[in-house]
Amino acid sequence: MDIYTELAAAIRRVFPVSRLEPINAEQLATELRDHPDAPHDYFEFLQRVGWGSLGNSYFMIYSGLIGPQEIFDPATAAELTGVLLLGDDFSGWSVGFDTQAGWRLVGTDHGAEPHPIEQRSLSEYIARLVADAEPDAGSI
């Protein structure tokens, strides 16, 4: 089994009411065209694990990258220049890529200045969320 297969199985086990669906070919082509420098893992995750909701309201993975202006007011969005968001926790914590820092994974709370997060990829980040929700299960 590879990391994406294992991760999808862990998500189904820990968050059985998750609603994830693989990105379709048209959406993928648009994302690849619009963001050719985005990390390969991001596209692989969307294809193999999917986008949507982990659990009822644990974390939402968007179907594509979005600019901060699609979520935040203009002043807050201006503070997030270069950041493309990929998901949020339904409570103000957003995760995305800082395109001006080599597409590093960053987090921001209610649009505050983004800071790097420990995980280096979307799949690592989601694996950490799953492991944190099931602490006795070990790592994925």
Side-chain angles (χ1 to χ4, degrees):
M1 255 200 274
D2 67 13
I3 183 64
Y4 303 103
T5 303
E6 291 177 25
L7 187 51
I11 290 168
R12 285 190 300 275
R13 184 182 68 250
V14 176
F15 302 109
V17 296
S18 295
R19 294 175 309 277
L20 296 173
E21 66 179 78
I23 192 170
N24 68 44
E26 184 178 324
Q27 290 172 303
L28 179 61
T30 298
E31 284 299 303
L32 285 166
R33 182 192 69 234
D34 292 349
H35 311 291
D37 296 328
H40 176 75
D41 172 78
Y42 170 72
F43 298 118
E44 192 74 16
F45 183 96
L46 290 178
Q47 290 177 88
R48 308 263 317 271
V49 178
W51 64 273
S53 177
L54 293 177
N56 283 327
S57 308
Y58 197 77
F59 193 81
M60 171 62 77
I61 302 162
Y62 308 146
S63 63
L65 296 172
I66 63 171
Q69 70 279 2
E70 293 187 44
I71 296 178
F72 301 108
D73 63 84
T76 302
E79 296 294 319
L80 298 171
T81 299
V83 173
L84 291 172
L85 302 170
L86 62 82
D88 68 68
D89 72 353
F90 299 96
S91 297
W93 174 254
S94 298
V95 175
F97 294 111
D98 185 341
T99 64
Q100 297 174 341
W103 289 82
R104 174 144 175 100
L105 206 56
V106 295
T108 180
D109 195 14
H110 296 283
E113 183 175 337
H115 60 276
I117 57 178
E118 181 180 338
Q119 294 77 28
R120 298 265 184 218
S121 68
L122 174 57
S123 53
E124 286 179 18
Y125 183 77
I126 297 301
R128 172 57 31 211
L129 290 180
V130 172
D132 287 350
E134 187 180 53
D136 295 334
S139 64
I140 298 171

